[in-house]
């Protein structure tokens, strides 16, 4: 049987794996599923219509799967989906999607959401990300993989934060953040590449140097976006396949990238 504290309130329609742990004064609502070895420590609320995977850890006063803060929301059946091996610290709030988008807010695996992080409706967050204390992620935001978002930062709705990027603390993100870049400020500006993150992942000097060349081509050469893309395609992509992530950042951006 699941380890459920006697003070916890569990909906009859909730599905809880027998290895999950539900701590004191937690509330698990209608049509919630909780996977193997996931822990709700204490005073955690999972409102409804939420699918949670395995080996996740939720700390006190986190609010999971609540109605979206959207004036268009009219009680539709929308969902929150959380993957595996995530750590959700105190007072985080993760809201379900809206019918006007994909009816889904989705969080991947191996993410750390620090104290008081807010993830709004219809966001899609990938894997291996760190969102520091008090980060606010507005609706319809997409965050890739292996990003770091500094504390007290805010991300405007519909923005994209691409893979391996780093956002400095107390930054305001009004445009898309290109892969590998390091941005900060209010409003944010680009300040180079996330070199330290690359070194920690063991990337070679050759890879980092090619990415530096790509960064200078995009952000410091004075070329138009179309001209920079041509250089990346014709001169750099063959040297380093990771350049494709930068190309995708530029080609897929509808808001323009932080420069």
């Amino acid at each position: 049987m699941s380890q459920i504290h006697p003070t916890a309130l569990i909906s009859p329609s909730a599905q809880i794996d027998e290895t999950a742990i539900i701590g004191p004064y937690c509330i698990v609502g209608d049509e919630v599923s909780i996977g193997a070895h996931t822990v709700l420590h204490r005073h955690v609320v999972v409102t409804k219509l939420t699918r949670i995977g395995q080996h996740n850890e939720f700390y006190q006063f986190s609010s999971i799967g609540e109605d979206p803060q959207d004036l268009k929301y009219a009680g539709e059946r929308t969902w929150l989906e959380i993957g595996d091996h995530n750590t959700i610290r105190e007072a985080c709030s993760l809201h379900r999607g809206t019918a006007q988008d994909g009816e889904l807010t989705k969080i991947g695996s191996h993410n750390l959401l620090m104290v008081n992080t807010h993830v709004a409706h219809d966001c899609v967050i990938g894997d291996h990300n760190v969102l520091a204390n008090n980060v606010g992620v507005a609706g319809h935001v997409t965050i890739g993989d292996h990003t770091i978002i500094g504390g007290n930062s805010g991300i405007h709705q519909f923005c994209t934060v691409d893979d391996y990027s780093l956002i400095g603390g107390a930054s305001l993100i009004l445009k898309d953040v290109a892969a590998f870049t390091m941005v900060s400020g209010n409003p944010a500006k680009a300040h180079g590449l996330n070199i330290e993150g690359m070194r920690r992942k063991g990337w070679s000097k050759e890879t980092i140097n090619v990415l530096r060349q790509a960064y200078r081509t995009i952000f410091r050469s004075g070329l138009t976006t179309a001209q920079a893309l041509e250089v990346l395609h014709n001169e750099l992509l063959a040297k380093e396949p990771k350049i494709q992530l930068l190309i995708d950042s530029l080609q897929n951006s509808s808001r323009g990238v932080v420069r």
Side-chain angles (χ1 to χ4, degrees), residues 9-141:
L9 300 178
I10 310 296
S11 167
S13 64
Q15 298 179 355
I16 302 175
D17 187 87
E18 63 181 9
T19 62
I21 298 174
I22 311 299
Y25 303 103
C26 291
I27 299 174
V28 180
D30 295 341
E31 297 185 71
V32 170
S33 63
I34 298 177
H37 304 287
T38 286
V39 178
L40 278 59
H41 280 292
R42 63 199 71 82
H43 296 283
V44 175
V45 177
V46 186
T47 305
K48 60 182 177 181
L49 300 173
T50 297
R51 296 182 285 260
I52 299 173
Q54 303 179 11
H55 295 277
N56 296 288
E57 194 169 9
F58 295 84
Y59 284 78
Q60 58 265 30
F61 308 116
S62 50
S63 175
I64 311 301
E66 190 52 89
D67 294 347
Q69 295 181 126
D70 189 318
L71 294 175
K72 297 186 297 297
Y73 178 71
E76 298 91 348
R77 285 174 55 85
T78 62
W79 291 86
L80 168 66
E81 182 176 302
I82 299 173
D84 305 324
H85 296 277
N86 295 290
T87 300
I88 313 297
R89 293 303 305 250
E90 301 91 313
C92 288
S93 54
L94 315 180
H95 289 178
R96 304 191 325 278
T98 64
Q100 289 73 32
D101 200 331
E103 301 181 349
L104 176 67
T105 300
K106 185 173 183 178
I107 296 174
S109 300
H110 299 279
N111 297 293
L112 169 59
L113 276 58
M114 295 187 189
V115 172
N116 204 40
T117 293
H118 173 63
V119 177
H121 57 86
D122 304 295
C123 289
V124 177
I125 296 178
D127 304 328
H128 299 282
N129 299 291
V130 177
L131 280 65
N133 296 353
N134 304 309
V135 166
V137 184
H140 314 281
V141 165

